[in-house]
C-alpha cells in the first residue's frame, strides 16, 4: 500500500541551528511531493512542492527540500532556524493513480532559545 | 492565500445530532476535499469532489456525507454525530486554472466537539 512516513514525532533544535526533517514514501513510481507547515491553531500552508526536474526545490521562508529517488525520500531542510519556525510540518504525497494526498503523521518542531 | 472559508469555525454539539459544515471557495477550483485532523494521524481524507454533484469517498468516510450543488460550496454532514467525530475538519481545494489538479490549498479549519 502507498504510505508516507515521518519518523520523527518531535524535533528540538536551537535557534540558529540547521534543521532537517525526514520524509519517506513507499511507491514504485515518482509521486508528487509536498511539504506543508501548520502553526498552532492555524490551517496548513504550502512550503514547497516537487513535481519533476531539479531534485532540489526551494520554498518559502528559507526552506528547501531534496528528492532522492534511490531512497524514496523528500527531506526538508533549513540552514538556520528562527523561533517563528516552531510549528508542525507535514509531508504529503500525491500518487498518480488518483488525486488523493497521502499524509505523514507530522513532525512537531520545537525551537530552543 | 486561496480564497477558502469554512463555517462555522467552532462548534459544540451533542451525540446523535446532525451537523453540517460548510466550505466556500472563490477560486473556481474544480476539486474540493474534506479532511479530519487528529493527533498522531496527520490528515485523513473523508470525501472529495471532482465537480458539481460528483463526489467520492476517502479513507474515513463512514458516518459522513457530502454534497456539492455548485462549484463554490462543498458541504460535509455528520448524519448523527458521535464522540469519535470530535476533531478539526479542514477543507481543501485544487485544480485551478493554472495549477492543474496537483496542489491543494487549505481553509482555516473547523473545530468540532461532540459531547
Amino acid at each position: 500500500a502507498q504510505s508516507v512516513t515521518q519518523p520523527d514525532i518531535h524535533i528540538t533544535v536551537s535557534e540558529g541551528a540547521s534543521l532537517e526533517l525526514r520524509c519517506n514514501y513507499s511507491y514504485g513510481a515518482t509521486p508528487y511531493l509536498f511539504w506543508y507547515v501548520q502553526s498552532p491553531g492555524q490551517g496548513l500552508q504550502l512550503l514547497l512542492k516537487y513535481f519533476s526536474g531539479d531534485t532540489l526545490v526551494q520554498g518559502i521562508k528559507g526552506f528547501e527540500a531534496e528528492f532522492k529517488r534511490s531512497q524514496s525520500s523528500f527531506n526538508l531542510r533549513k540552514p538556520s532556524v528562527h523561533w517563528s519556525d516552531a510549528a508542525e510540518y507535514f509531508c504529503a504525497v500525491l500518487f498518480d493513480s488518483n488525486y488523493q494526498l497521502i499524509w505523514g503523521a507530522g513532525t512537531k518542531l520545537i525551537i530552543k532559545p | 492565500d486561496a480564497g477558502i472559508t469554512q463555517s462555522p469555525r467552532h462548534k459544540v454539539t451533542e451525540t446523535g445530532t446532525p451537523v453540517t459544515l460548510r466550505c466556500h471557495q472563490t477560486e473556481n477550483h474544480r476539486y474540493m476535499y474534506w479532511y479530519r485532523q487528529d493527533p498522531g494521524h496527520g490528515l485523513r481524507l473523508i470525501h472529495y469532489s471532482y465537480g458539481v454533484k460528483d463526489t467520492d469517498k476517502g479513507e474515513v468516510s463512514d458516518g459522513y456525507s457530502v454534497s456539492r450543488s455548485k462549484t463554490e460550496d462543498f458541504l460535509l454532514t455528520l448524519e448523527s454525530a458521535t464522540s469519535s467525530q470530535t476533531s478539526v475538519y479542514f477543507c481543501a481545494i485544487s485544480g485551478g486554472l493554472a495549477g492543474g489538479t496537483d496542489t491543494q490549498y487549505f481553509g482555516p479549519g473547523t473545530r468540532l466537539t461532540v459531547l
Side-chain angles (χ1 to χ4, degrees):
Chain A
Q2 300 155 346
S3 65
V4 179
T5 302
Q6 293 181 246
D8 304 304
I9 298 174
H10 299 96
I11 280 188
T12 301
V13 176
S14 297
E15 190 169 15
S18 63
L19 170 70
E20 183 170 29
L21 302 182
R22 296 182 289 165
C23 174
N24 294 92
Y25 64 89
S26 64
Y27 186 58
T30 299
Y32 298 149
L33 301 156
F34 304 83
W35 276 99
Y36 286 83
V37 60
Q38 185 180 31
S39 298
Q42 303 297 312
L44 287 91
Q45 181 181 21
L46 180 69
L47 277 177
L48 47 78
K49 60 188 177 184
Y50 173 79
F51 289 170
S52 64
D54 191 346
T55 57
L56 184 64
V57 294
Q58 302 298 317
I60 62 171
K61 306 186 180 189
F63 285 91
E64 66 178 26
E66 186 172 14
F67 168 57
K68 292 186 177 180
R69 185 190 310 273
S70 61
Q71 298 177 19
S72 297
S73 69
F74 189 55
N75 293 349
L76 182 71
R77 301 194 295 246
K78 187 170 185 178
S80 176
V81 298
H82 185 263
W83 65 266
S84 61
D85 293 324
E88 191 157 19
Y89 292 79
F90 293 93
C91 179
V93 179
L94 185 70
F95 299 104
D96 62 10
S97 59
N98 56 50
Y99 295 111
Q100 297 185 32
L101 275 175
I102 308 297
W103 294 82
T107 298
K108 187 172 184 178
L109 175 62
I110 300 164
I111 307 294
K112 288 193 301 185
Chain B
D1 290 341
I4 313 169
T5 56
Q6 293 184 232
S7 58
R9 295 293 314 280
H10 302 271
K11 186 171 182 66
V12 179
T13 191
E14 295 188 348
T15 298
T17 60
V19 176
T20 296
L21 308 183
R22 179 181 183 239
C23 177
H24 179 77
Q25 61 143 328
T26 58
E27 306 295 320
N28 199 35
H29 278 32
R30 179 182 174 191
Y31 289 85
M32 299 184 75
Y33 309 81
W34 277 108
Y35 291 93
R36 60 179 290 173
Q37 184 180 33
D38 304 289
H41 289 277
L43 276 79
R44 292 181 290 175
L45 183 66
I46 305 171
H47 282 279
Y48 68 101
S49 169
Y50 47 96
V52 173
K53 300 190 187 302
D54 292 322
T55 64
D56 205 350
K57 296 179 179 180
E59 177 188 0
V60 291
S61 59
D62 288 348
Y64 302 95
S65 61
V66 290
S67 65
R68 191 169 178 200
S69 59
K70 45 187 179 177
T71 299
E72 57 265 36
D73 288 325
F74 192 33
L75 304 180
L76 176 71
T77 298
L78 288 64
E79 293 136 11
S80 177
T82 68
S83 58
S84 65
Q85 293 176 312
T86 292
S87 187
V88 180
Y89 292 85
F90 286 99
C91 174
I93 65 174
S94 72
L97 297 178
T101 61
D102 303 319
T103 300
Q104 293 184 20
Y105 299 95
F106 284 80
T110 295
R111 183 173 295 275
L112 176 67
T113 302
V114 183
L115 302 176

